[in-house]
Amino acid sequence: MTVVNESVVEGTAEVVGIAPVSTTRPGLPFRPGPGGWAARGALVLAVAFLVVVFPLTQPGPDVQIFTQAVIYAVIGLSLNVLLGYTGQISLGHQAFVGIGAFASAYTVSVQGQSFWVAIVVAMLVGALQAFLLGAVSLRVTGLYFALVTLSYGLLAEQTLFGIDKFTGGGAGQPAPKPAGFATDHRYYFLCLAILGAVVFVDWRMMRTKAGRALLALRENPRVAAAYGINVKAYTLFAFVVAGVFAGLGGSLLAHNDTFVQANVFDFRLALVFVLMTVVGGLRNRSGVVIGSAFFALLGYLIDREYTFPITGWHLQIEKLLAKLPLVPDLTKEVAPLVLGPILLLVTITMYPGGIGQQLRPVGRWLRGKRFDRHDEGPKEVMVADVRA
Amino acid sequence: MDALRERWLAIAGAALAVLVVVALAGSDALVIGVITGSAYGLVALGLVLIYKSSGVFNFAQGEFGTLAVYALYAAHQHVPYGVAVVIALAAAALVGLIVERVIIRPLFDAPRVTLLVATAGVSLLAIGLEFWLSGDRLLHNVDPALPNPDRITLAGIAISDQRLLLLGALVVLAALLGLFFSRTNLGLAILGASQEPTATELVGISVKRVSTLVWVLAALLGGLAGILSVPIGKTFTPGVLTTGGLSALIPGFTAAVIGGMTSLPGAFVGGIIVGVAQTAAPEFHFLNGVDNPGTLVVFVLLVAILVIRPQGLLGRTA
């Protein structure tokens, strides 16, 4: 990571006399005027309105979908720890999430514990699974984690979820919403707060010694090892953190639906988790959150009827998709399955930074810099011939 | 010293295999298991091929097979079976070519995990397209190439010709590929490109062209696995070889890992081991009451091999 002190760079550039286009006070770094600050404030307010106020106006079932989007963001951040920070991938994340969901539901419904105990149990279960599977895969290389988790996902789907005591059989395990957050709206804000906490923990973690070690070993494990970083221990640490986040996400998901059913957690869900994280943009928290929310809401956005003000026009994307010639209907169930992978492949091959990178100029603008459309952040350099 | 240890391990493994065979003798599991295992072996061959040349786990290998089955189904509506098979294989090869050119080639210097995500993306895209184009009717029927259900009977079980064909195809292909990699220039070029790409370029071999060739070859193998194994069950759904009824991808990977990820005979042997273990699982009494004991056994096998012998039964530590 080449993190450069930006103010220093801008300062030197202006001394040399290259950069300034319309500086009002030469010699000083760019500062937006009152109008600029107002525009930035307006954007922040608009986003805050969309996230905080808008859901209050919507009916309960819709809010449940928004809550799901928030929870997906937690799961996306969990995968981001693996994929973004260590460069390993889990293809069985639906199992981590699903077992977290059942562990939470089991603790509440069968053991009669409170929601807060259940959430901790789910996180511990997630940590334990990730630790064991990670330890096995690291016998070879981290890439084997993909294989082991893939196999584990199928095991969970076909065998573990068949244990009726744990999952409540075909009817599913009830998972009531916690006291004080019993309505869909209140639960939404609870999840939003937890997402905030996860983002905070993730951000602080990457500022610690462990976080820097993770970034170093992702870029080149051999060089990292040469600098005295215990590659296996830190990779395992990241697996455990990802497991904790995934268990947390599972627990929240369980109490959002109030009934956990095994058939939700199938292989395709695991791939959706990977899609949303990569398309969101690895190592970019806001990108991952946006990407995850987008994929969680994709079906809803396609299905929803939009009414334009003034003109009174109606628009429903599903109806548009149904008019495609020659091929069967692209229904709201199938559309994410087709569009998602295409987005993923386009992201990987053409815009590896994902949504996060595309939004980077906006983020920098919000923090009081000039809007620079071409600002794509530090380029990633891969050392191709020292691959591990 | 190490070589001696290797030999003893191999002998111990073989003895264990013989023991299992004796224990299961006369049971259906052995016969059916060996044949199911051939399908896994075929998938594993393709996985090993790609891993050898580009160091990537190809999660789209199962979908090469499924797409071939769809092509077979679509073509068989209009043309005789033999022609449809050729069309299906051509379709699989074409998909392999497109995947390599559009996805793999631009990512030549990307980290391995990016490639891995890309193959998972290809897999999901294929499944998505199959769901979409199937519309409301998800279950399709496809006939086997050889319809005769019971030409020979082994241990009291009638074995259909299609199953024999599958087993035969695996044996022949494993042998042919073994020869290809040890005797032909092209095979040696592929090995060279996987081990030392820069040096291979220096002696005048295009590593990129080799990569294309490998993907097409692997897709062909995947397609063959699909059109030989899926018709045994006669029906298929979207993603049949990845997550569906046959789900050969995970057992295929397990087989490849047992073989050490780089050994072609290892993939063949691994496939048989996984097939037998999975089929025999319901007969283990301590697994009574477990849903799908076969899946559990495959998972345990994968974990066990990674814990005990990460380089696989026939693999060598590089």
Side-chain angles (χ1 to χ4, degrees), chain B residues 16-97:
Chain B
L16 191 71
V18 170
L19 263 178
V20 170
V21 167
V22 171
L24 291 171
S27 88
D28 314 5
L30 187 62
V31 179
I32 299 294
V34 166
I35 288 162
T36 319
S38 336
Y40 300 159
L42 267 181
V43 172
L45 282 183
L47 291 170
V48 166
L49 200 62
I50 286 182
Y51 189 81
K52 261 168 116 83
S53 84
S54 37
V56 168
F57 295 123
N58 177 23
F59 286 95
Q61 188 66 23
E63 279 321 286
F64 288 154
T66 313
L67 288 174
V69 174
Y70 271 88
L72 177 72
Y73 169 80
H76 190 38
Q77 315 262 331
H78 308 287
V79 293
Y81 202 87
V83 184
V85 165
V86 174
I87 292 176
L89 287 179
L94 185 69
V95 171
L97 183 70

Side-chain angles (χ1 to χ4, degrees), chain B residues 296-312:
Chain B
L296 178 64
V297 166
V298 172
F299 177 73
V300 169
L301 214 52
L302 175 66
V303 169
I305 203 86
L306 287 180
V307 170
I308 299 166
R309 206 175 150 72
Q311 71 272 38

Side-chain angles (χ1 to χ4, degrees), chain A residues 37-112:
Chain A
W37 281 122
R40 288 165 174 85
L43 184 63
V44 171
L45 278 180
V47 172
F49 174 81
L50 205 63
V51 175
V52 179
V53 184
F54 174 71
L56 284 173
T57 65
Q58 298 296 306
D62 283 7
V63 174
Q64 222 172 345
I65 300 174
F66 302 153
T67 312
Q68 195 179 343
V70 174
I71 299 167
Y72 269 39
V74 172
I75 298 166
L77 286 170
S78 157
L79 259 179
N80 180 44
V81 171
L82 281 178
L83 212 69
Y85 300 154
T86 69
Q88 311 301 346
I89 182 183
S90 158
L91 288 174
H93 234 57
Q94 92 280 24
F96 291 104
V97 173
I99 288 177
F102 279 118
S104 187
Y106 180 81
T107 315
V108 170
S109 317
V110 182
Q111 300 290 329

Side-chain angles (χ1 to χ4, degrees), chain A residues 15-357:
Chain A
V15 170
V16 183
I18 312 167
V21 184
S22 65
T23 357
T24 41
R25 285 172 295 171
L28 283 173
F30 172 78
R31 282 277 169 271
W37 281 122
R40 288 165 174 85
L43 184 63
V44 171
L45 278 180
V47 172
F49 174 81
L50 205 63
V51 175
V52 179
V53 184
F54 174 71
L56 284 173
T57 65
Q58 298 296 306
D62 283 7
V63 174
Q64 222 172 345
I65 300 174
F66 302 153
T67 312
Q68 195 179 343
V70 174
I71 299 167
Y72 269 39
V74 172
I75 298 166
L77 286 170
S78 157
L79 259 179
N80 180 44
V81 171
L82 281 178
L83 212 69
Y85 300 154
T86 69
Q88 311 301 346
I89 182 183
S90 158
L91 288 174
H93 234 57
Q94 92 280 24
F96 291 104
V97 173
I99 288 177
F102 279 118
S104 187
Y106 180 81
T107 315
V108 170
S109 317
V110 182
Q111 300 290 329
Q113 301 290 330
S114 83
F115 167 77
W116 306 103
V117 176
I119 223 171
V120 173
V121 169
M123 278 157 49
L124 289 178
V125 169
L128 184 70
Q129 295 170 78
F131 177 79
L132 291 178
L133 295 182
V136 168
S137 339
L138 285 175
R139 297 270 300 158
V140 203
T141 68
L143 280 187
Y144 277 74
F145 193 63
L147 258 184
V148 173
T149 49
L150 178 71
S151 187
Y152 181 66
L154 191 74
L155 176 75
E157 203 180 319
Q158 298 199 339
T159 305
L160 299 184
F161 291 158
I163 306 171
D164 287 353
K165 253 192 210 151
F166 182 53
T167 62
Q173 189 79 271
K177 287 198 165 65
F181 298 96
T183 68
D184 287 323
H185 293 87
R186 286 188 174 192
Y187 192 71
Y188 170 79
F189 287 104
L190 175 67
C191 290
L192 209 55
I194 290 176
L195 172 64
V198 169
V199 170
F200 179 77
V201 168
D202 186 68
W203 171 51
R204 289 323 302 167
M205 184 184 81
M206 293 321 284
R207 292 287 188 277
T208 62
K209 186 183 171 197
R212 289 191 300 274
L214 288 179
L215 287 179
L217 69 87
R218 180 192 65 86
E219 284 190 14
N220 198 321
R222 288 181 197 179
V223 173
Y227 275 94
I229 293 171
N230 187 338
V231 172
K232 280 194 180 176
Y234 278 116
T235 312
L236 209 49
F237 164 75
F239 286 174
V240 169
V241 172
V244 169
F245 287 175
L248 175 63
S251 173
L252 294 177
L253 213 51
H255 297 274
N256 187 35
D257 296 341
T258 63
F259 256 97
V260 201
Q261 277 177 323
N263 56 11
V264 177
F265 303 103
D266 67 351
F267 175 62
R268 269 181 286 155
L269 190 65
L271 291 181
V272 169
F273 289 157
V274 174
L275 289 182
M276 67 192 195
T277 313
V278 175
V279 172
L282 300 176
R283 292 178 294 289
N284 187 316
R285 271 171 226 103
S286 45
V288 168
V289 168
I290 293 171
S292 309
F294 171 72
F295 273 95
L297 294 175
L298 196 51
Y300 170 80
L301 293 175
I302 289 174
D303 193 35
R304 188 189 155 91
E305 202 168 297
Y306 303 90
T307 314
F308 290 95
I310 307 167
T311 52
W313 287 338
H314 289 278
L315 172 72
Q316 196 177 7
I317 299 176
E318 192 177 16
K319 283 196 186 126
L320 281 183
L321 291 175
K323 284 189 187 132
L324 287 178
L326 296 176
V327 287
D329 287 3
L330 201 55
T331 57
K332 70 168 173 166
E333 284 83 21
V334 177
L337 275 180
V338 180
L339 300 178
I342 293 177
L343 274 177
L344 172 84
L345 294 173
V346 169
T347 303
I348 284 187
T349 49
M350 292 155 80
Y351 307 100
I355 297 176
Q357 195 177 42

